[in-house]
Amino acid sequence: MQIGGTSLEISMIRAGTSEVLRNPKVDSIVLEDRIQREKEITLNLAKTIDSSLKDPANPFNILITAFREIFSSYFTENILEYQADLYEEYKENFDKSKLESSFVPKPLKQKCKKTQEAFYSLQRFIKLLLDCLAEMYSVSLDYARLNALREPLTNSLIETIIDKQVYTVTFMFLRMENQAEESRIEQHICKLASVRPEQLNISPYFCLNECSWNEKVLSSIKSNAENDDWEEVLKRKIKENVQPYEEAIKKLKESTLFGAPVSKLKTITTLNPTICRCIDSFWQGIPVNKEKLFIDADQYLTILVYIVIKADAKDLFTHISLANEFATLGSTSSYNAYCLTTLQASFYHLMNLNADDLLKQNH
């Protein structure tokens, strides 16, 4: 039985690697070309395995299908039981279709245990299949190549296992666990809906609005400028940029549209470059000192808070929590962890803001 990958691909990988080891003085261009070629081979091998996993006749797919059915059936019953308990405890405030936005429920211990059980079962099953795939391919691939395949294989397994029904179950569990937090966040964001970047103490260089027409900013620009042409450019950009960080706000909203945790994570990790792109685009054509556009950790966190407020996406905290549950299964990227941790931290920073005091500040 062939799960994926060809003997030719594997032999190319081994031949390329061994040749580099035998010739340490090989030309750098040739070496870079070979590294790129091996990356492409690894990617193609991962795609082949992914395609094979989705084949109904594949033994792994048969196991996955059986697991999904058992998982969905068992935990759906638990969700229904929890909803019944919740209804009895809060029947004056509970609507069978949804919770009122003003209602803040308290967590139930039994429900939290079931949430942990559901995610532990999923993560354990994914790791089990990943170990089986690694063992099978260890005959023909070395450790380095297997390690390179680990992340794409894990992502493939997550996307294959978490179909629409499994996603619905896992999301509902997390949503119930986060009900109290989501309600508080929603109410706080509602109070801060009209907040502006400068009210959050975002630097004038990063406000990307009329507050960027600041005396210190203008003085810094004038010291670098050869003429005054930039003034009209800046005025036009301030006028056109009605919603600062609009692209990043749309990107964050997108993370709630994808069902697969992997897709959510990919969208979240694009926030950083998107924020930088918004800033660079605003100052393009203006002789601003580039050192002034360096974003430190505090400023980045505050910009994220602003984006979260303006995105006002339903159940956003739960969507991020879902991505976080599977983020470290196959990925060794510290960047992914940083993106998720910083975004989650922005919620806690947001909840510590005093909406009344902030909105009293003059524009």
Side-chain angles (χ1 to χ4, degrees):
M1 176 191 68
Q2 184 173 327
I3 302 297
T6 65
S7 57
L8 176 61
E9 287 175 327
I10 294 170
S11 62
M12 286 175 67
I13 293 169
R14 287 195 160 180
T17 305
S18 60
E19 188 175 339
V20 170
L21 292 175
R22 288 198 306 271
N23 299 285
K25 295 182 180 180
V26 68
D27 184 85
S28 61
I29 297 177
V30 175
L31 181 60
E32 287 177 9
D33 180 66
R34 182 166 294 128
I35 290 172
Q36 182 60 35
R37 184 158 52 91
E38 290 195 13
K39 285 182 179 178
E40 291 174 0
I41 292 171
T42 301
L43 181 62
N44 289 333
L45 185 56
K47 287 180 178 178
T48 304
I49 297 172
D50 177 61
S51 177
S52 180
L53 283 172
K54 292 178 172 61
D55 181 356
N58 186 300
F60 283 95
N61 189 280
I62 294 170
L63 283 172
I64 290 171
T65 302
F67 174 84
R68 283 195 304 236
E69 291 176 357
I70 295 170
F71 180 92
S72 299
S73 174
Y74 174 74
F75 286 108
T76 298
E77 289 181 9
N78 280 275
I79 288 175
L80 294 174
E81 289 175 7
Y82 167 68
Q83 287 178 329
D85 292 342
L86 190 65
Y87 179 73
E88 288 299 323
E89 190 167 350
Y90 302 108
K91 54 185 171 183
E92 292 182 1
N93 300 307
F94 186 70
D95 182 304
K96 287 186 178 180
S97 59
K98 65 179 181 179
L99 289 170
E100 297 294 337
S101 60
S102 60
F103 171 53
V104 181
K106 57 185 178 181
L108 297 180
K109 292 182 180 179
Q110 187 64 24
K111 171 264 303 181
C112 293
K113 288 181 181 178
K114 285 298 177 184
T115 303
Q116 293 169 4
E117 183 183 341
F119 280 98
Y120 176 79
S121 300
L122 265 177
Q123 292 163 355
R124 183 66 182 150
F125 184 64
I126 291 168
K127 288 179 180 178
L128 179 63
L129 290 188
L130 186 64
D131 289 344
C132 289
L133 283 170
E135 183 67 26
M136 184 173 64
Y137 280 99
S138 64
V139 177
S140 31
L141 295 177
D142 58 25
Y143 175 80
R145 185 59 56 185
L146 282 171
N147 196 47
L149 279 169
R150 183 176 181 84
E151 183 169 347
L153 281 182
T154 305
N155 291 342
S156 293
L157 286 171
I158 292 172
E159 291 181 342
T160 304
I161 293 169
I162 303 180
D163 62 355
K164 185 176 180 180
Q165 192 170 4
V166 173
Y167 169 78
T168 301
V169 171
T170 52
F171 184 81
M172 286 181 71
F173 265 122
L174 269 183
R175 179 63 183 87
M176 289 188 294
E177 184 169 296
N178 292 328
Q179 274 177 358
E181 195 66 25
E182 289 281 13
S183 296
R184 284 191 289 268
I185 290 170
E186 184 179 342
Q187 291 170 37
H188 206 57
I189 286 178
C190 186
K191 292 179 182 178
L192 290 164
S194 61
V195 75
R196 295 166 56 83
E198 61 272 18
Q199 293 172 317
L200 295 171
N201 292 323
I202 292 176
S203 164
Y205 287 98
F206 306 132
C207 283
L208 313 187
N209 59 14
E210 60 269 24
C211 282
S212 295
W213 191 274
N214 174 281
E215 185 177 339
K216 289 185 179 179
V217 175
L218 297 179
S219 176
S220 175
I221 295 174
K222 286 176 182 177
S223 66
N224 290 333
E226 296 179 357
N227 52 55
D228 295 334
D229 294 347
W230 59 269
E231 290 188 11
E232 290 303 317
V233 176
L234 182 55
K235 287 178 181 178
R236 176 175 55 80
K237 291 199 172 185
I238 289 172
K239 185 178 180 180
E240 292 175 351
N241 201 39
V242 178
Q243 175 61 75
Y245 300 102
E246 184 175 10
E247 185 185 354
I249 292 167
K250 289 179 179 177
K251 188 67 67 176
L252 185 57
K253 284 183 176 180
E254 283 179 14
S255 67
T256 66
L257 303 178
F258 299 112
V262 175
S263 299
K264 292 183 189 297
L265 180 60
K266 287 178 180 176
T267 305
I268 290 168
T269 55
T270 62
L271 272 179
N272 191 348
T274 304
I275 288 171
C276 293
R277 191 160 54 247
C278 289
I279 295 170
D280 291 342
S281 176
F282 181 84
W283 291 108
Q284 187 176 9
I286 300 169
V288 64
N289 186 340
K290 298 300 180 185
E291 292 181 2
K292 300 293 186 180
L293 300 185
F294 173 78
I295 312 175
D296 63 27
D298 289 338
Q299 280 291 297
Y300 180 67
L301 181 61
T302 310
I303 292 170
L304 271 182
V305 169
Y306 175 78
I307 291 169
V308 167
I309 291 170
K310 295 302 178 180
D312 191 21
K314 184 174 177 56
D315 298 332
L316 180 58
F317 185 77
T318 300
H319 284 283
I320 295 168
S321 299
L322 182 60
N324 192 48
E325 288 288 343
F326 299 95
T328 58
L329 275 181
S331 174
T332 56
S333 170
S334 58
Y335 176 71
N336 289 355
Y338 168 77
C339 290
L340 275 170
T341 302
T342 309
L343 187 54
Q344 287 179 315
S346 71
F347 281 92
Y348 299 110
H349 187 70
L350 163 67
M351 295 306 293
N352 286 324
L353 295 175
N354 188 311
D356 295 332
D357 289 347
L358 282 176
L359 298 176
K360 284 178 184 176
Q361 297 178 25
N362 293 326
H363 290 180

